[in-house]
Amino acid sequence: MTARSAAGGLKPDSPVPVMLAIILACVPDASAHGVKKGSLEVIHPHIGLPADASPTGCAHMTIVNTGKSADRLIAVSSPIAADVVLLTRNSSGAIIQVPFVDIPARSRVILDEPTWCLKISGLKVTPIEDAAYEGMLHFEKHGGLAVDFVVQRA
């Protein structure tokens, strides 16, 4: 039985608020999804919601390598797209396509705007906000790693 004040609210010394805070702290945040394979962890792979049903989009994520050796992200694919390419900005600010992304040992690589974009072209579906779509990250050493790209407002 919970102790209540005369006004019907919880008494200040009630353990209920503390227990509720503990329970909520243990519930994972849906927006902070990710997957692991070996020493690699992919955190929050997501697609920015394309404007006006555009046939292209941009995916982002963070990749953490806790291992002693480097790896490379060499390709990305998804059944919802005709093509996915790795884009970055060079030192002069121009956007260029790159064949891979280095993932150094014991590092965190943030593939996010304004420096990185995994450009998704030829979308076969109209992405829906908060929906998740399958993708595959292809690493040189770790091989394929399945991820779910969650669509979120840009």
Side-chain angles (χ1 to χ4, degrees), residues 40-120:
L40 293 182
E41 180 179 11
V42 176
I43 302 169
H44 192 52
H46 61 281
I47 301 170
L49 185 63
D52 302 325
S54 171
T56 62
C58 201
H60 300 100
M61 69 194 75
T62 297
I63 302 173
V64 177
N65 182 355
T66 59
K68 295 179 182 177
S69 61
D71 204 342
R72 282 184 171 165
L73 176 62
I74 55 174
V76 180
S77 60
S78 174
I80 68 162
D83 193 27
V84 181
V85 295
L86 305 169
L87 301 177
T88 191
R89 290 189 187 271
N90 66 14
S91 58
S92 65
I95 297 173
I96 58 170
Q97 184 174 337
V98 293
F100 58 84
V101 178
D102 282 319
I103 312 296
R106 296 185 175 124
S107 70
R108 173 182 296 257
V109 177
I110 301 171
L111 301 177
D112 206 350
E113 296 178 298
T115 307
W116 288 100
C117 171
L118 282 64
K119 184 179 179 187
I120 301 167

Side-chain angles (χ1 to χ4, degrees), residues 6-22:
L10 295 175
K11 289 185 177 179
D13 62 344
S14 171
V16 173
V18 174
M19 292 185 326
L20 182 59
I22 292 169

